[in-house]
Amino acid sequence: MMAADSLNFDPYTKYETYPEYCSTPSQMERRTIKPIHQNTLHSEQQQQPYETKLLQVTAIIRHGARTPSKAHKCWDDFWKSSSDTSIWNCELTTLVASPAQPAVLNFEKNENGSVTSTNSNSSVHNDEQLDGEGTIFLFDKRYDALDDAPQLRNELNGTCQVGQLLLRGYVQELHNGNMLRKTYIRDTKDNYTIDDSMVLFDLDEDPGISSENSSIESGGSSQHRRTTKNNERKLKKLRPYEEPNLYYRADDDQRTLMSGQVLLRGLFEDLLHEHSKELGSHVDPTVIIHTADRNRDILSRNSDICPLLNDLEDDAKNSKDYLNQFVNSEESRILNELMENELGGNFQTSALDCMMSTICTDRQLPLILDDYGKNLETNELYGSDFFDRIQKYSYLPKNYVLRYNQSAYSKLATGPLWVDILSNILPLVPASEGFTISNDLKENLRYPPPKLALFSAHDSTLHMLLSSLGEKIFGGEDWAPFASYLVIELHDIIEQIAMSEVQSPFPSGKAFRLVYNGEVLTSKIDGCGIESSPELCDISFLVDTVSSFAV
């Protein structure tokens, strides 16, 4: 949960131009997801041979704007008390609830075996129904206990945590949630319309009933299944943000946990309010977050659990091409001298974080770096466009490692994550029984599968996933902005005419669409990009692309 003193702030006013990395409101508006263009196969009749129906959405997001990820060595004045980069105070705080899991509440049972509650109408016996009950107060976490500088202080000298989500990051993810709602959720109360083929959740039908994806049982008579389903509906209506409709995964960083929470607020805020009113003042709606020990998690690169990643990184950095581009080139020499002579030392590895956390929060850049988007005179010694050149000098070597040797690093690092992603998708693809997939993946298929799977992670997560899909998908020339997203849509293909003369482009009956920050990338996957369906591709091609390393 989150709290903020005020959302009345006016960001992005200090500089005339901001890098795409910052994700200003106008930049965010350009990343909307467009509906699928229902294309027609070339035939004499010019008939459309298929319709599509959205079955599932997987969204992998980067957190919103944050503080520096650590107390980096940046330019000389960065941490001087006279600089506005020296102290980082945060209005956005985290709210923590008192324990309310069923395992805890079971200790509070009275002698009759029902749960003790301050709500006299509450006597619940089903553990699943106890989620959120008993949470009658919250804790507001404030990082203000150490204020005796320089010995006793937080790493960023103020009340912010390192890498903490900022208010502007909150707004970015709220925007993403609202955008996804307008793309995938139908509700007549909203002032927009969605094509039938793109509806993931139809709140006009029944906002409190789970979808056909969430089957109750696979066996038994149809009458038995109907009875069971009706009974379950009476016990607990499954809302879109409840499992199995939603699978929410995040690592245990404050910025990723809160970014996902805010996005879900943008998606389902009205439903959460209605649900809260139904439950009463002493019971809160509960959304499950699946996470892990941070130092063991695989949502970002983790060489501690996979030391071979270190070897692959060394191989890339020792390659002739890497040395020529980033170590021995004239550009490297010039930029190293610029940092040493004008900025107090070489901070190449941290330059991207130092510079972006400054400009994106309207703090003051050093004069020599304050040239982004400006047409300034060329310096005789170092040239021009210093901000842009140094930020690329910081991140291009990182992307090179991810793409080196056919993206060996990225494939190894994302293997377990692809298992998690595909474990939600493949149960909806009957033909997947014939796919070549690992035993790890087969054993982890998730039944019933979710309609929406949300993974809240990092820039490196997106880069590695994109890189693992092929060099045409990720060229390594850019860096994922704050609040970036990668969406994998799964569509049911409903053939409208017999295709005796033209082979169906969707033999499995299921197709996917890949969208990164509003750009459809599906056609860049090997085997995809046929003229009749440039946005959609049979799901088998995605599975074939990742199956060799999805372990």
Side-chain angles (χ1 to χ4, degrees):
M1 303 178 70
M2 69 293 293
D5 294 338
S6 172
L7 287 179
N8 296 319
F9 68 113
D10 190 17
Y12 313 114
T13 55
K14 185 178 181 65
Y15 297 94
E16 292 183 8
T17 307
Y18 289 84
E20 191 72 20
Y21 187 107
C22 293
S23 296
T24 66
S26 61
Q27 292 166 347
M28 295 287 292
E29 287 293 338
R30 295 196 292 267
R31 301 175 194 162
T32 57
I33 299 175
K34 304 294 192 299
I36 286 181
H37 295 102
Q38 298 285 347
N39 294 286
T40 303
L41 282 177
H42 296 293
S43 63
E44 293 181 3
Q45 296 83 6
Q46 287 295 298
Q47 290 177 288
Q48 183 153 300
Y50 60 86
E51 291 180 350
T52 64
K53 177 61 179 174
L54 185 62
L55 294 177
Q56 184 189 74
V57 171
T58 299
I60 306 101
I61 65 169
R62 184 192 179 187
H63 55 77
R66 56 159 174 75
T67 63
S69 61
K70 60 186 297 186
H72 296 295
K73 166 65 175 71
C74 299
W75 49 86
D76 253 356
D77 294 340
F78 192 93
W79 296 109
K80 286 187 177 179
S81 58
S82 58
S83 300
D84 58 2
T85 51
S86 64
I87 298 177
W88 295 75
N89 288 315
C90 286
E91 291 180 296
L92 196 64
T93 59
T94 301
L95 299 179
V96 181
S98 57
Q101 295 87 352
V104 174
L105 293 179
N106 281 339
F107 284 103
E108 301 176 12
K109 286 183 178 179
N110 62 24
E111 60 185 8
N112 296 322
S114 59
V115 177
T116 300
S117 171
T118 55
N119 182 350
S120 59
N121 296 322
S122 176
S123 181
V124 185
H125 300 269
N126 186 321
D127 279 356
E128 291 184 358
Q129 292 178 294
L130 298 178
D131 287 350
E133 184 166 355
T135 308
I136 57 176
F137 60 94
L138 300 172
F139 296 95
D140 185 354
K141 290 179 68 177
R142 300 193 178 187
Y143 284 77
D144 59 3
L146 300 180
D147 59 359
D148 186 12
Q151 286 80 20
L152 297 179
R153 57 173 174 75
N154 292 322
E155 288 187 52
L156 301 183
N157 296 326
T159 59
C160 292
Q161 299 171 257
V162 291
Q164 177 175 336
L165 190 73
L166 295 167
L167 276 176
R168 58 195 72 201
Y170 181 106
V171 173
Q172 289 162 355
E173 295 298 356
L174 190 61
H175 172 95
N176 276 344
N178 289 328
M179 183 270 292
L180 292 176
R181 181 183 178 101
K182 293 177 182 178
T183 305
Y184 299 122
I185 296 180
R186 172 178 286 163
D187 188 347
T188 52
K189 296 193 298 293
D190 297 326
N191 58 353
Y192 58 83
T193 58
I194 302 177
D195 186 82
D196 289 346
S197 64
M198 293 296 290
V199 176
L200 185 67
F201 294 108
D202 193 337
L203 305 186
D204 293 339
E205 290 184 355
D206 189 342
I209 301 297
S210 64
S211 71
E212 62 273 13
N213 286 12
S214 307
S215 56
I216 305 295
E217 293 183 9
S218 59
S221 67
S222 60
Q223 177 61 41
H224 173 71
R225 290 196 298 273
R226 284 195 298 271
T227 302
T228 304
K229 192 169 186 177
N230 288 335
N231 289 338
E232 178 152 334
R233 285 176 175 176
K234 292 177 183 178
L235 288 173
K236 179 183 180 183
K237 290 183 177 181
L238 295 177
R239 294 163 175 83
Y241 49 83
E242 294 179 318
E243 293 191 345
N245 284 327
L246 171 68
Y247 175 76
Y248 173 29
R249 173 78 162 89
D251 67 21
D252 204 18
D253 283 341
Q254 183 269 356
R255 60 187 179 274
T256 52
L257 292 169
M258 188 177 287
S259 289
Q261 291 170 355
V262 177
L263 184 147
L264 291 173
R265 175 193 163 186
L267 267 171
F268 304 124
E269 181 171 21
D270 56 336
L271 296 181
L272 288 163
H273 279 308
E274 292 172 7
H275 189 184
S276 181
K277 290 179 181 177
E278 291 177 14
L279 292 173
S281 60
H282 297 294
V283 185
D284 300 312
T286 300
V287 177
I288 297 173
I289 304 175
H290 297 274
T291 189
D293 286 339
R294 185 62 182 88
N295 65 342
R296 302 293 297 173
D297 213 337
I298 48 80
L299 283 188
S300 57
R301 64 184 82 189
N302 193 335
S303 58
D304 289 338
I305 63 171
C306 186
L308 183 56
L309 290 173
N310 292 325
D311 297 335
L312 294 178
E313 182 175 2
D314 289 342
D315 288 345
K317 289 183 174 180
N318 290 324
S319 68
K320 182 178 180 180
D321 191 39
Y322 183 97
L323 295 173
N324 286 340
Q325 286 191 57
F326 308 118
V327 179
N328 302 322
S329 67
E330 180 66 7
E331 176 72 348
S332 301
R333 182 192 66 78
I334 292 173
L335 295 179
N336 287 339
E337 288 186 3
L338 169 64
M339 287 185 283
E340 291 286 353
N341 297 335
E342 305 293 335
L343 294 166
N346 191 325
F347 59 100
Q348 176 201 1
T349 57
S350 59
L352 183 68
D353 199 5
C354 294
M355 295 163 63
M356 293 304 180
S357 61
T358 300
I359 191 172
C360 294
T361 59
D362 290 321
R363 287 171 166 81
Q364 184 61 54
L365 287 164
L367 183 61
I368 197 169
L369 293 180
D370 187 8
D371 65 351
Y372 186 81
K374 300 177 180 178
N375 187 18
L376 302 181
E377 293 184 5
T378 300
N379 182 288
E380 292 183 3
L381 292 176
Y382 309 116
S384 60
D385 298 323
F386 302 133
F387 184 100
D388 191 53
R389 288 164 61 198
I390 291 179
Q391 63 139 340
K392 289 180 178 178
Y393 187 39
S394 182
Y395 73 71
L396 287 177
K398 298 179 176 69
N399 284 346
Y400 184 95
V401 171
L402 302 184
R403 300 178 69 246
Y404 180 72
N405 191 19
Q406 298 181 318
S407 301
Y409 186 105
S410 297
K411 291 175 180 177
L412 181 61
T414 60
L417 178 53
W418 275 116
V419 169
D420 208 357
I421 293 170
L422 291 178
S423 67
N424 296 319
I425 296 175
L426 291 181
L428 292 170
V429 186
S432 64
E433 295 178 0
F435 295 171
T436 302
I437 59 177
S438 68
N439 288 330
D440 284 344
L441 181 51
K442 290 179 181 178
E443 293 172 359
N444 283 281
L445 296 183
R446 191 166 284 115
Y447 293 99
K451 296 199 74 173
L452 173 62
L454 173 63
F455 294 79
S456 185
H458 304 269
D459 46 10
S460 62
T461 314
L462 294 176
H463 288 191
M464 293 187 297
L465 287 172
L466 291 168
S467 181
S468 72
L469 293 174
E471 60 182 15
K472 291 185 291 185
I473 292 285
F474 183 64
E477 295 301 317
D478 300 301
W479 195 265
F482 286 132
S484 289
Y485 67 83
L486 176 66
V487 160
I488 305 171
E489 299 170 351
L490 181 67
H491 296 263
D492 194 18
I493 302 298
I494 307 167
E495 293 189 359
Q496 298 297 296
I497 62 174
M499 302 189 68
S500 56
E501 297 182 3
V502 182
Q503 183 178 2
S504 171
F506 310 109
S508 73
K510 301 293 183 289
F512 76 96
R513 184 168 72 148
L514 188 70
V515 185
Y516 174 65
N517 284 346
E519 180 184 1
V520 179
L521 302 178
T522 319
S523 62
K524 297 181 180 182
I525 297 284
D526 286 344
C528 299
I530 61 175
E531 186 177 358
S532 61
S533 58
E535 293 188 48
L536 292 174
C537 187
D538 193 83
I539 188 62
S540 61
F541 288 98
L542 177 62
V543 177
D544 288 345
T545 298
V546 304
S547 60
S548 64
F549 53 86
V551 293

